[in-house]
């Protein structure tokens, strides 16, 4: 008899068990990757760019770079080319610097000098502060009789306007350059029975007043321009106005809190508040997410700061908290959104714009892209 043929065993694949095993394996791999990402993200040091000047030197950020003094010289360095500063000799180091992305100027109590101009501008009053716009700058001056005036110049040094505040005094002023160049002023009127604050806007291209907003029963402390609106932050509330019509759209309460930073380069502007009278370090911050629209859509979240926090900032719609050891990110709802560590402890921090921080370490300065 011939040998019996062995039957080949047929293996059945249990598809349910296979899929289950594959799912478990995928979950384990994902967990390992997530843990690895967190560990690597926490240990990956922040990339800092050292600046060619120290914290002790006078300096100002333009949006594109820095002007700074170096003895008898004024230097400018673009933040993309920090190793190539451009310097020029100045007659005195007893100056202050004001700048915008378009131009810069030097000033002291009696004179102004646009950096690109040949001659300084002599002024008969005492210069207190100077702020720059896109094509104009404004100098707040104290006249001989003690009154204040706001003198407005173009980049050539020609005075194009002079604002006087006979019925009160100027609380704040500045330029808004989105959608054109606008000069704004915040004035406290004390001649009325009840104090009244007035916000006035001027179109610098047309040299005409474009809006006037009157605020009663509240002291306005901060003016924040957004893409479509104007937010007034006061002692008891936040008021949003439409920029085109200067009409009030809605209010939100913030009594007992003070604004420490804001971010408008996002779909919903983010405002960071702290409690009035709270210590400089630690404490609670409140995240206000507000609609840049006619209808209020307010969300408020609270977050406890670490005791060693050097600063809390609103950047690109997120909360950024800096400690000596690193930078922690939070969403507008207060959810942790990332962490980056410094390679060595830092001692100070300042927000330059929505994506850039100025970091100090042992007197030296660095920039950090935190956006």
């Amino acid at each position: 008899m011939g040998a019996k043929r062995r039957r080949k065993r047929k293996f059945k694949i249990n598809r349910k068990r296979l899929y289950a095993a594959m799912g478990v394996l995928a979950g384990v791999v994902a967990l390992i990757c997530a843990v690895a990402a967190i560990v690597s993200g926490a240990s990956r040091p922040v990339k800092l760019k050292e600046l060619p000047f120290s914290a002790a030197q006078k300096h100002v950020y333009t949006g594109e770079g820095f002007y700074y003094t170096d003895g008898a010289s004024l230097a400018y360095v673009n933040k993309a080319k920090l190793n190539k500063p451009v310097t020029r000799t100045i007659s005195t180091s007893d100056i202050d610097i004001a700048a915008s992305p378009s131009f810069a100027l030097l000033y002291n109590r009696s004179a102004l000098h646009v950096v690109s101009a040949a001659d300084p501008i002599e002024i008969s009053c005492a210069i207190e502060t100077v702020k720059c716009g896109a094509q104009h700058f404004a100098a707040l001056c104290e006249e001989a009789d003690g009154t204040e005036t706001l003198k407005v110049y173009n980049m050539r040094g020609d005075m194009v306007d002079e604002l006087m505040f006979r019925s009160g005094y100027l609380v704040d002023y500045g330029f808004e350059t989105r959608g054109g160049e606008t000069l704004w002023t915040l004035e406290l009127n004390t001649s009325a029975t009840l104090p009244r604050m007035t916000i006035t806007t001027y179109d610098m291209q047309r040299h005409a007043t474009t809006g006037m907003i009157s605020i009663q029963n509240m002291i306005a402390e901060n003016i924040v321009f957004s893409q479509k609106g104007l937010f007034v932050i006061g002692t008891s509330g936040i008021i949003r106005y439409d920029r085109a019509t200067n009409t009030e759209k809605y209010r939100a309460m913030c009594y007992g809190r003070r604004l420490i930073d804001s971010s408008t380069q996002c779909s919903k502007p983010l405002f960071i508040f702290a409690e009035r009278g709270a210590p400089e370090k630690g404490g609670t911050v409140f995240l206000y997410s507000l609609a840049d629209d006619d209808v209020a859509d307010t969300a408020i979240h609270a977050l406890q700061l670490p005791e060693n926090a050097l600063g809390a900032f609103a950047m690109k719609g997120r909360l950024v908290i800096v400690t000596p050891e690193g930078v922690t990110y939070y969403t507008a709802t207060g959810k942790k959104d990332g962490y980056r560590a410094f390679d060595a402890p830092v001692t100070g921090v300042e927000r330059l714009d929505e994506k850039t921080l100025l970091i100090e370490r042992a007197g030296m300065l660095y920039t950090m892209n935190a956006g």
Side-chain angles (χ1 to χ4, degrees):
M1 287 177 65
K4 291 184 179 179
R5 290 184 179 181
R6 292 185 179 181
R7 290 184 179 180
K8 293 182 179 180
R9 294 187 63 184
K10 294 182 179 180
F11 292 90
K12 280 190 175 183
I13 298 175
N14 191 320
R15 295 183 181 275
K16 289 185 179 180
R17 290 183 179 179
L18 176 62
Y19 293 154
M22 290 175 65
V24 171
L25 180 61
V28 172
V29 172
L31 179 61
I32 293 173
C33 291
V35 171
I38 292 172
V39 173
S40 64
S43 61
R44 180 168 54 93
V46 173
K47 185 177 180 181
L48 299 179
K49 294 183 178 180
E50 185 174 354
L51 296 173
F53 54 90
S54 69
Q57 294 173 261
K58 289 180 180 178
H59 57 273
V60 64
Y61 181 61
T62 70
E64 300 296 333
F66 297 87
Y67 279 95
Y68 61 96
T69 57
D70 187 8
S73 298
L74 175 72
Y76 172 78
V77 62
N78 188 290
K79 62 183 180 182
K81 301 176 181 178
L82 293 176
N83 61 338
K84 296 181 179 180
V86 178
T87 62
R88 58 183 294 167
T89 303
I90 53 178
S91 58
T92 176
S93 59
D94 184 23
I95 57 167
D96 285 303
I97 313 169
S100 72
S102 305
F103 67 102
L105 59 87
L106 311 176
Y107 69 97
N108 55 25
R109 293 283 287 177
S110 60
L112 295 155
H113 193 173
V114 179
V115 171
S116 59
D119 301 312
I121 306 167
E122 300 293 338
I123 295 184
S124 59
C125 57
I127 301 171
E128 297 178 345
T129 60
V130 178
K131 295 184 180 181
C132 297
Q135 302 294 326
H136 298 81
F137 64 90
L140 178 62
C141 302
E142 182 182 359
E143 303 292 344
D145 60 0
T147 60
E148 288 185 330
T149 59
L150 191 65
K151 303 180 188 297
V152 186
Y153 298 81
N154 59 27
M155 290 175 59
R156 296 188 302 272
D158 306 318
M159 189 167 73
V160 297
D161 208 343
E162 184 176 27
L163 309 178
M164 292 174 283
F165 309 94
R166 301 297 186 189
S167 57
Y169 65 91
L170 185 65
V171 177
D172 200 2
Y173 69 101
F175 288 92
E176 166 62 25
T177 56
R178 280 179 290 194
E181 186 180 26
T182 299
L183 170 68
W184 61 267
T185 61
L186 174 62
E187 181 184 0
L188 175 62
N189 188 325
T190 56
S191 62
T193 304
L194 295 175
R196 183 177 71 252
M197 304 200 77
T198 303
I199 302 169
T200 308
T201 55
Y202 306 85
D203 187 313
M204 298 310 302
Q205 185 174 3
R206 294 185 292 156
H207 297 289
T209 301
T210 54
M212 189 172 290
I213 298 171
S214 181
I215 304 169
Q216 292 182 320
N217 302 322
M218 184 179 78
I219 300 298
E221 297 177 314
N222 305 95
I223 308 296
V224 178
F225 285 83
S226 63
Q227 192 64 40
K228 298 186 294 183
L230 168 65
F231 291 87
V232 177
I233 293 88
T235 50
S236 59
I238 307 168
I239 310 174
R240 183 192 178 276
Y241 293 89
D242 184 271
R243 287 189 63 178
T245 61
N246 297 303
T247 54
E248 179 181 329
K249 294 303 178 182
Y250 67 80
R251 296 191 179 208
M253 296 298 295
C254 63
Y255 184 78
R257 297 167 184 172
R258 59 180 177 84
L259 182 71
I260 59 175
D261 204 7
S262 62
S263 168
T264 59
Q265 292 185 12
C266 45
S267 57
K268 290 184 67 176
L270 177 65
F271 299 83
I272 310 298
F273 285 85
E275 294 175 329
R276 292 187 185 274
E280 290 296 323
K281 293 187 176 181
T284 303
V285 292
F286 301 88
L287 285 63
Y288 281 64
S289 183
L290 302 174
D292 193 13
D293 211 334
D294 294 348
V295 180
D297 182 19
T298 306
I300 305 173
H301 298 83
L303 189 73
Q304 181 70 31
L305 291 178
E307 288 295 328
N308 63 341
L310 298 173
F313 309 98
M315 305 179 74
K316 293 282 189 178
R318 294 194 296 177
L319 170 66
V320 179
I321 298 176
V322 182
T323 65
E325 294 76 28
V327 182
T328 308
Y329 297 87
Y330 294 86
T331 66
T333 60
K335 181 181 178 181
K336 190 172 180 180
D337 195 32
Y339 176 78
R340 297 180 66 190
F342 294 120
D343 57 359
V346 303
T347 54
V349 62
E350 176 186 338
R351 195 192 88 151
L352 297 177
D353 54 34
E354 291 255 5
K355 61 182 180 180
T356 312
L357 291 174
L358 183 66
I359 303 294
E360 181 178 352
R361 177 190 289 154
M364 297 306 298
L365 296 176
Y366 308 80
T367 59
M368 172 191 170
N369 188 340

